[in-house]
Amino acid sequence: MALFLFLVIVAMALGIIGTVVHGLGYLLVIGVVLFVADVIFSLLSWSRRTRRRRLR
């Protein structure tokens, strides 16, 4: 969970820097890609945890 929060903060910081500083729009793209990858990774790990539990 801490890694997820850290990566979200990094993605937000890259996005803010990419939009504020002229000529660094690629940082915005990197921030968005990092955020999307982090959300997908978290959803996959969450779904793996729920599959392991069996109903009795």
Side-chain angles (χ1 to χ4, degrees), residues 24-42:
L24 293 179
Y26 65 92
L27 287 180
L28 175 63
V29 174
I30 291 172
V32 169
V33 169
L34 180 64
F35 179 75
V36 169
D38 189 33
V39 169
I40 290 171
F41 178 73
S42 296

Side-chain angles (χ1 to χ4, degrees):
M1 185 69 172
L3 179 63
F4 172 76
L5 293 175
F6 175 72
L7 288 177
V8 167
I9 291 171
V10 168
M12 287 176 24
L14 287 175
I16 291 170
I17 292 170
T19 54
V20 171
V21 179
H22 179 70
L24 293 179
Y26 65 92
L27 287 180
L28 175 63
V29 174
I30 291 172
V32 169
V33 169
L34 180 64
F35 179 75
V36 169
D38 189 33
V39 169
I40 290 171
F41 178 73
S42 296
L43 289 175
L44 288 176
S45 68
W46 182 65
S47 68
R48 279 188 223 146
R49 278 191 227 144
T50 57
R51 270 192 248 156
R52 291 182 186 165
R53 297 179 187 169
R54 295 184 180 178
L55 295 174
R56 293 182 186 196

